[in-house]
Amino acid sequence: MQTELSRRLGVEHAIFGFTPFPAVAAAISRAGGFGVLGAVRYTAPDDLARDLDWMQDHTDGLPYGLDVVMPARRVEGVTEADVEAMIPDGHRQFVRATLAKHGVPELAEGEASGWRITGWMEQVARNQLDVAFEYPIKLLANALGSPPADVVERAHGAGVLVAALAGSAKHARHHADAGIDIVVAQGYEAGGHTGEIASMVLVPEVVEAVGPLPVLAAGGIGSGAQAAAGLALGAQGVWLGSLWLTTTEADLHSRALTQKLLAAGSGDTVRSRALTGKPARQLRTEWTDAWDDPSGPGTLPMPLQGLLVAEALSRIQKYEVGPLLGTPVGQIVGRMSSERSVQEVFDELTRGFEQAVDRINRIAGRGGA
């Protein structure tokens, strides 16, 4: 599964795997793909450095990348405390009432609330980059589109390619104008932040809009045949995220959540602002229903919503409160019905890709196995 982009990056298969788990990212690279570690949960630079050290020791010298969350426009002097002060008391009360309705216990006195979604704040991402550029990363991806111009320049100065996610051809053209090297065309089906255009329509539109820049197809891809379809639409690779959540190397810290993912169908997700303030596809739960209910206060814009709900989500996850327990995941969750290793997933992807290509060759009268 070779393309011009995969050869440029030195990977065997044009499969790019985004994941928040270092063990998964490293396994993707070892399997012949390109592992991309999500950095948003690393609020402390030392924690990111620790896991990048681990990546260095477990990727066998193979290439990998980092995904950050940065707005394109820089805002000076905004601290977490400044943002916290903008959260209305009514929204805080809504969180307390929703948790109380479901009997979610408080955290123990003095216990940290766990991951706070401060990675949406620009300065946190910049601190992450100060760490990341000390390592031989080959790709910097930004989940919010084009990063600030100085970040693009810094990456290029370090010989690092820059990728940006796009949900429309308009967004993709903006990325091209900003000097981005790779556009990830992420369709409506994808997990996490996503737009309103489905992959089958979006990918060829983006390819046409930014050519000859390489495009990666993302959203609704979980089989070799779907990967072949992405390349047939003009992409130079596929970007997979949700599929890795139920691999044996993933560390969700919740057996109950893993079981919910394994049992979910493709219709069990929803695009909701409940997690971050921007539309993000995730498992539909009573938590997302509460925030999407017109009788509620409605969600806050990013990053207010993420800061508001961070402790609540930590409590829901810690105590595995089933009706509220969820995670970002795409519609491909319907295929995620068993736990397998990353290597087993790769074997199935590459095998399915070959079968799909052979099938098309036979249809086209070109023979095949």
Side-chain angles (χ1 to χ4, degrees):
M1 192 173 172
Q2 283 278 307
T3 66
E4 182 181 346
L5 178 61
S6 66
R7 287 189 288 270
R8 181 179 180 184
L9 287 168
V11 295
E12 183 180 359
H13 303 295
I15 297 173
F16 294 71
F18 163 80
T19 174
F21 307 117
V24 176
I28 291 169
S29 290
R30 292 197 307 271
F34 191 96
V36 181
L37 178 64
V40 71
R41 68 192 181 99
Y42 294 100
T43 56
D46 288 348
D47 291 341
L48 178 59
R50 176 202 64 215
D51 281 357
L52 288 177
D53 283 337
W54 189 93
M55 289 279 293
Q56 280 293 103
D57 293 338
H58 292 83
T59 48
D60 299 338
L62 297 165
Y64 63 90
L66 192 74
D67 180 279
V68 297
V69 178
M70 297 189 75
R73 296 178 181 176
R74 185 169 189 173
V75 179
E76 300 286 355
V78 177
T79 67
E80 183 178 342
D82 295 330
V83 176
E84 287 271 13
M86 301 176 190
I87 298 174
D89 289 339
H91 282 73
R92 295 188 187 278
Q93 176 55 36
F94 181 76
V95 170
R96 289 193 291 268
T98 304
L99 296 178
K101 175 182 176 181
H102 291 273
V104 183
E106 297 277 356
L107 296 175
E109 185 176 353
E111 183 178 357
S113 63
W115 170 44
R116 292 179 61 76
I117 310 177
T118 52
W120 310 117
M121 299 180 66
E122 180 185 352
Q123 189 53 52
V124 174
R126 286 184 176 275
N127 292 339
Q128 293 166 349
L129 293 179
D130 288 340
V131 172
F133 285 127
E134 295 296 321
Y135 293 82
I137 62 171
K138 300 299 182 185
L139 176 70
L140 174 66
N142 187 34
L144 287 184
S146 304
D150 67 295
V151 172
V152 176
E153 182 178 358
R154 183 180 181 186
H156 287 165
V160 176
L161 298 181
V162 180
L165 275 66
S168 71
K170 178 181 178 180
H171 293 159
R173 282 189 288 268
H174 174 77
H175 299 339
D177 292 341
I180 299 303
D181 304 292
I182 302 166
V183 176
V184 182
Q186 179 164 283
Y188 172 83
E189 309 94 324
H193 295 122
T194 184
E196 299 182 351
I197 305 173
S199 299
M200 184 64 72
V201 174
L202 178 66
V203 173
E205 286 187 348
V206 171
V207 169
E208 182 177 349
V210 301
L213 279 185
V215 172
L216 299 177
I221 299 173
S223 71
Q226 289 164 328
L231 269 61
L233 294 173
Q236 288 199 31
V238 292
W239 177 278
L240 282 63
S242 299
L243 194 63
W244 316 110
L245 289 173
T246 53
T247 56
T248 54
E249 293 90 345
D251 186 11
L252 288 177
H253 299 294
S254 172
R255 189 63 194 167
L257 180 55
T258 298
Q259 291 300 325
K260 286 191 76 171
L261 288 169
L262 293 172
S266 56
D268 292 327
T269 68
V270 63
R271 283 174 76 245
S272 171
R273 298 178 185 267
L275 181 63
T276 69
K278 285 184 176 290
R281 186 171 296 284
Q282 55 203 282
L283 280 180
R284 182 174 182 175
T285 66
E286 292 190 30
W287 177 259
T288 61
D289 287 348
W291 282 104
D292 295 339
D293 191 326
S295 66
T299 56
L300 297 169
M302 181 186 281
L304 301 183
Q305 182 72 14
L307 290 173
L308 169 65
V309 304
E311 180 175 333
L313 296 179
S314 292
R315 290 165 59 185
I316 292 167
Q317 292 165 4
K318 176 183 169 101
Y319 299 110
E320 297 191 325
V321 183
L324 304 179
L325 190 62
T327 186
V329 69
Q331 292 179 331
I332 201 63
V333 69
R335 289 188 61 91
M336 296 157 50
S337 57
S338 64
E339 294 180 84
R340 298 170 294 164
S341 70
V342 168
Q343 184 63 63
E344 288 174 316
V345 172
F346 249 85
D347 290 344
E348 183 177 288
L349 286 169
T350 54
R351 194 164 50 241
F353 177 83
E354 292 173 356
Q355 291 169 350
V357 171
D358 285 344
R359 185 163 56 247
I360 295 300
N361 279 334
R362 287 197 299 272
I363 292 171
R366 299 189 183 114

